[in-house]
Amino acid sequence: MSMDLSADLSALLAALLLAALLAVGLTAAALRRTRRTAAAHTLSLRQELERLRRSSAELERTSYTDALTGVWNYRYLQLSLDREIARSARQPRPDGQDRLALLLLEIEGFDEIRREHGHQRGGAVLRDLAQRLAMEVREADVFGRYGGEEFLILLPDTDAAGAEHVAERLRWTVRRHPLALPSVPVLPVPDAGAASAVGGSAEEGAAAPVNGLSAAIGISVLPRDGGHAALLLRAADRALAAARTPAAPAAPAVSTAPPAPAATPVDTAADQPQGHVKVLETSTSQPVYALLAQGCDLTAKEREEA
């Protein structure tokens, strides 16, 4: 009787142990499935968060990028200008030392391009030129579209002399950049030998625009022209207005001799003050762009007339 009871107890204990082991196994399997599900969910959340971060960065960049030219827009320029002014104020420097330079650049000559090729092609040319100009500044500089054909360039840690050097390089790029237009030939820059043969110079030939475009640039520097954004922009805008306006001719001396016939105006970019480029004109009534579209080498024509 006692042996039967012991056998029954052993069988019961074995059944209970087996049930417990089975429950433990089921619980462990459930935990593993939960962990795998949680890991997959976490990975999915991380991927979604990364996608949202990229989308946010793209939206932020889009909100700061000019839709036509692809460079920074007016909003980003304002934020960058305030940031650079604040950064310059935190850095101790000798009194009167230039800390920041602004270049306000205006490109002239797009009216003829739009008139002949339409606004869409003119916009494509403006975008191509803006991208080329953006490559002419440092990575730390800020190049953006201020409005229309005006661009603003922020040059941190740059004095007036450095700003003038950058302005000359940008003006040269505007004059010499080949336009993506089928009717505008790219005129080669005359070498020194060819220039000397006709009595000119290589610098005079290189100064003449070959694409019908020219640039005027106004320069302002911090702190000489102001201590905050509004004053610096106003000073740069005034300098640009002065660059657009040709200097008034001096009053002629009193003379009874008959006036001399008017000479053909030429490009006097080398004689202009900093921040000013005079648009090349011709003795005909046709604009420069129309002559270039016909394949006319204005540089050689002026040397022959001289």
Side-chain angles (χ1 to χ4, degrees):
M1 184 70 179
S2 59
M3 293 181 61
D4 293 340
L5 181 60
S6 298
D8 293 339
L9 290 176
S10 297
L12 180 61
L13 290 176
L16 292 176
L17 181 60
L18 181 61
L21 291 176
L22 182 60
V24 170
L26 293 175
T27 303
L31 288 176
R32 287 194 295 269
R33 288 195 301 268
T34 303
R35 289 176 180 175
R36 287 196 297 267
T37 303
H41 185 62
T42 301
L43 179 61
S44 177
L45 290 178
R46 289 178 178 175
Q47 292 175 349
E48 182 67 16
L49 181 60
E50 183 64 23
R51 186 186 67 81
L52 291 176
R53 286 177 178 174
R54 290 196 300 267
S55 299
S56 177
E58 183 65 23
L59 289 175
E60 183 178 8
R61 180 175 179 83
T62 302
S63 66
Y64 290 147
T65 303
D66 181 64
L68 177 62
T69 61
V71 298
W72 298 119
N73 60 11
Y74 180 83
R75 179 186 179 190
Y76 186 84
L77 290 173
Q78 290 285 349
L79 295 176
S80 299
L81 180 56
D82 293 337
R83 181 176 63 247
E84 290 298 333
I85 292 176
R87 184 186 66 85
S88 299
R90 292 192 300 267
Q91 295 179 350
R93 301 204 179 179
D95 294 339
Q97 181 178 356
D98 296 335
R99 305 177 182 181
L100 174 69
L102 274 72
L103 302 181
L104 188 56
L105 180 149
E106 182 180 27
I107 304 175
E108 299 178 348
F110 273 96
D111 291 340
E112 296 295 333
I113 295 179
R114 293 193 181 97
R115 186 177 297 114
E116 181 168 342
H117 295 277
H119 287 270
Q120 185 174 3
R121 182 63 66 87
V125 172
L126 183 62
R127 176 185 178 87
D128 180 64
L129 182 55
Q131 294 291 329
R132 181 65 181 86
L133 291 173
M135 298 173 60
E136 292 293 334
V137 298
R138 302 169 301 182
E139 185 177 357
D141 301 334
V142 180
F143 179 91
R145 188 185 183 196
Y146 195 68
E149 283 81 47
E150 293 185 359
F151 296 87
L152 184 66
I153 304 97
L154 309 182
L155 306 175
D157 303 320
T158 304
D159 56 9
E164 292 173 357
H165 179 73
V166 175
E168 288 296 334
R169 186 169 68 247
L170 294 177
R171 283 196 291 260
W172 191 92
T173 301
V174 170
R175 293 194 302 265
R176 309 300 300 185
H177 182 67
L179 304 182
L181 296 173
S183 61
V184 179
V186 179
L187 304 181
V189 180
D191 55 15
S196 301
V198 295
S201 64
E203 289 76 6
E204 292 174 354
V210 298
N211 56 13
L213 300 180
S214 60
I217 300 179
I219 301 175
S220 63
V221 293
L222 175 77
R224 185 185 66 186
D225 296 316
H228 58 84
L231 292 178
L232 291 174
L233 290 172
R234 185 182 305 172
D237 189 63
R238 289 176 178 174
L240 178 60
R244 295 193 199 102
T245 305
V254 177
S255 173
T256 57
T264 302
V266 295
D267 183 17
T268 57
D271 300 329
Q272 296 297 328
Q274 297 294 340
H276 176 68
V277 170
K278 188 175 181 180
V279 180
L280 179 65
E281 299 177 355
T282 65
S283 58
T284 64
S285 59
Q286 297 180 356
V288 174
Y289 177 78
L291 292 177
L292 289 171
Q294 300 170 8
C296 176
D297 189 344
L298 297 180
T299 304
K301 181 179 179 181
E302 291 173 0
R303 288 198 297 263
E304 292 175 358
E305 294 179 353

